[in-house]
Amino acid sequence: MKRLDTSITNALLVVCCCLPLSACSGIQSVFNPHGPNARHTAQIGWVMFIGGALIFLVVAAFAVYAVLRKPAKRGWISHRGFIIGGGIVFPLITLTALLIYDFRAARAIVAGLASPALTIEVVGEQWWWRVRYLGGSDVDESVVVDADAADKGIVISANEIHIPAGRSVTFALKSADVIHSFWVPNLAGKLDMIPGRTTKLRMQADHAGVFRGQCAEYCGGPHAKMAFYVVAHEPEEFERWLAHERTPAQPPGTRFLAEGQRLFLETSCAVCHQIRGTAARGQVGPDLTHVGNRLSIGAGILPNNTGTLAGWIASSQHLKPGNRMPSFDAFTGEELRALAAYLESLK
Ligand code: CUA
């Protein structure tokens, strides 16, 4: 029985130690930086954490000493000099040093990044991300919803952001409704998206890879379901991706897919969504021109395949309650399959 107790205790210890450590890796973690901006942030975090932990241990040791030591022997810790030294001088020096370190590190974050290779506008909406690759266009101060953006060289997408690795990118962040917060922990600190204002965040990924971002400011019911992926490519690969993203959607290649496209255009889908190259010009919801290439649907909440697409169409209110897309539960199974297959074919 005793041995069993020990092994349970050991197992609990392992679990307790591993849980916090598991947060140190992965594609959505501040402790696993993959860019200069995030590295500085992680370093500030560790310095503060280790410094705070050491001071806590020293203070706790003094508290234990004060309780356990005989009154005659512990008198020195209530001397005036010790109290002024430990209670005023020490915190003053330590906190000032940390403040200076923090300012210098924050300045290094801004100074260390090369001039940006491109500007990407991201608009937070309840509860998804409108993404526009601005090319040479200036950042407009308001939220622009423009069906003709493609004619101006602007590439429109949603809920997934592609960037060139090793290049600095500026994000122009806006909100269409309430305050959201744009956060890709592996690449940079978080920054609020404020209605009526444009905030700018520069970041860079060291190498190609996939990272996950998350809205970091409570913005209503399904706030936790407002995520996205950042895909960093080698620069030439990124240019290829951007050129492809700029092209209109492929026409359906089979009768089944053509049926899916007909359903999309003739029911209410096209009122809210745009598929460039078709009559669907809606601007309320995400642009779906190349939705088949995205890693996720529903703003980072489900993997992208025909099954999840059909499930999202039929019960989007169940998956993300309160979002602006109604659940289209009137479609038959065959119609849902055709619609989902058509969307999945939009590579
Ligand atoms: Cu958007 Cu939380």
Side-chain angles (χ1 to χ4, degrees), residues 125-127 129 178-181 214-220 223-224 226:
E125 309 208 10
Q126 283 175 316
W127 292 273
W129 314 84
V178 299
I179 299 177
H180 302 272
S181 180
Q214 165 72 46
C215 179
E217 175 79 37
Y218 181 73
C219 53
H223 144 77
M226 186 173 171

Side-chain angles (χ1 to χ4, degrees), residues 298-334:
I301 64 170
L302 289 169
N304 185 5
N305 57 56
T306 42
T308 53
L309 281 163
W312 174 264
I313 298 166
S315 42
S316 94
Q317 285 304 316
H318 176 77
L319 293 165
K320 194 183 276 195
N323 92 82
R324 295 175 80 177
M325 176 166 158
S327 296
F328 288 91
D329 48 10
F331 288 122
T332 65
E334 191 62 13

